[in-house]
Amino acid sequence: MSGAWTPRLVALDIDGTLLRWIDGTGTSHEEITPAVHDAVRRAREAGTHVVLASGRSPDGMTGVADLLGLATEESPVWVVASNGAVVFRYPPMQVVHEETFDARAAVAAVLAEHPRALVAVEERGVGYRVNRHFPMGELSGEMILSDVDDMVAEPVSRVIIRDPDATVDDFVALAGRLGLHGTDYVVGWTAWLDLAPVGVSKASGLAAVCDDLGVDASDVLAIGDGRNDLEMLAWAGRGVAMGQAIEEVRSAADAVTATVDEDGAAVEMSRYWPA
């Protein structure tokens, strides 16, 4: 990558990249630091597309777009939600693309080994349908108690499976052991498993956005910190891992920036749009 390279599009993860984690939890502070806010503003003022790309549901991302000042009806922002399964523009929310899959077999296989696990499926505009309540702050919107069989009776864009009594390593081993044929998966920071349609990732969602905007992947700067960012970091012209990311994520990136607590996303963006 030449020294004169400047991104035409910046793809930003949210939790652990734009927002700082709350210690000891799987949730983050819903606050944007001034350094990150200003870096995003400078990129936008330079004519660069800024796209949010997260494992969050669509309803859990619009507030972050508002905090960043990205959301205007005159120039709606592109958003890649649910790890690439849902692509929309906001405001107002207009779903442009959605991938769904039959999750019944995969969910049954996981629950056979973790029968007490929590299960959630997005109920857009409301929150999630859940078999039991998740820990406070881990899901956005309301939690509507439902039977698991009813939740996955029809194709869905994503299923979240969470076992507070298990570990991340338990879920990594489980996913590898089961194979989950016909389904892709991502293991989170905790014993949290996202089930998704095969071939769907933040990279596939961003590719759809780039096709619409006429931007090549080689002109994309992507910044993230989790396992669900691996494909995005490898796909982008420049993939940058946050400083606190695990080694698997750092190794997949072209570079590593400072940690989220040190405003690493702003540090990287300031290389191209200095204060």
Side-chain angles (χ1 to χ4, degrees):
M1 185 168 293
S2 72
W5 183 82
T6 300
R8 293 182 59 202
L9 185 148
V10 179
L12 296 170
D13 171 51
I14 292 179
D15 302 293
T17 298
L18 297 177
L19 305 183
R20 299 179 178 187
W21 292 109
I22 299 173
D23 290 342
T25 74
T27 59
S28 56
H29 296 280
E30 293 286 319
E31 298 176 358
I32 303 291
T33 67
V36 170
H37 189 281
D38 288 349
V40 169
R41 176 186 54 77
R42 293 194 301 272
R44 291 261 289 179
E45 288 178 350
T48 305
H49 302 286
V50 176
V51 179
L52 299 178
S54 174
R56 290 187 176 204
S57 68
D59 292 310
M61 297 179 70
T62 55
V64 178
D66 291 334
L67 288 173
L68 285 167
L70 296 176
T72 65
E73 293 194 9
E74 294 75 22
S75 181
V77 63
W78 283 94
V79 182
V80 175
S82 304
N83 288 327
V86 181
V87 176
F88 69 95
R89 300 202 73 185
Y90 170 79
M93 186 183 293
Q94 176 190 3
V95 175
V96 177
H97 182 73
E98 182 172 14
E99 295 276 0
T100 61
F101 71 116
D102 183 346
R104 291 174 296 178
V107 170
V110 175
L111 291 182
E113 299 209 23
H114 289 265
R116 290 185 49 77
L118 311 176
V119 181
V121 172
E122 181 192 352
E123 186 74 12
R124 190 172 301 147
V126 179
Y128 288 86
R129 288 182 288 155
V130 298
N131 63 336
R132 295 197 310 284
H133 285 93
F134 277 56
M136 186 64 65
E138 290 194 350
L139 298 177
S140 58
E142 296 180 29
M143 286 184 273
I144 306 162
L145 291 176
S146 305
D147 181 79
V148 172
D149 289 341
D150 293 337
M151 291 159 57
V152 296
E154 300 293 333
V156 296
S157 58
R158 180 177 64 148
V159 178
I160 299 168
I161 300 181
R162 170 85 158 91
D163 188 347
D165 297 324
T167 66
V168 173
D169 290 340
D170 290 338
F171 265 31
V172 170
L174 171 68
R177 185 170 64 252
L178 293 180
L180 301 176
H181 299 296
T183 303
D184 274 352
Y185 64 88
V186 175
V187 179
W189 290 102
T190 58
W192 175 295
L193 185 67
D194 276 330
L195 301 177
V198 169
V200 171
S201 67
K202 292 186 184 182
S204 66
L206 286 165
V209 173
C210 284
D211 284 346
D212 188 274
L213 294 174
V215 174
D216 192 82
S218 63
D219 292 319
V220 175
L221 166 65
I223 309 176
D225 75 318
R227 290 184 181 88
N228 62 340
D229 295 310
L230 288 170
E231 295 88 352
M232 175 178 78
L233 296 179
W235 166 84
R238 180 173 169 85
V240 177
M242 298 295 290
Q244 80 280 357
I246 61 173
E247 185 56 36
E248 181 182 3
V249 178
R250 293 162 65 97
S251 297
D254 298 302
V256 179
T257 186
T259 68
V260 65
D261 291 327
E262 299 166 320
D263 292 325
V267 171
E268 174 63 22
M269 285 187 283
S270 294
R271 290 165 53 94
Y272 315 100
W273 307 285

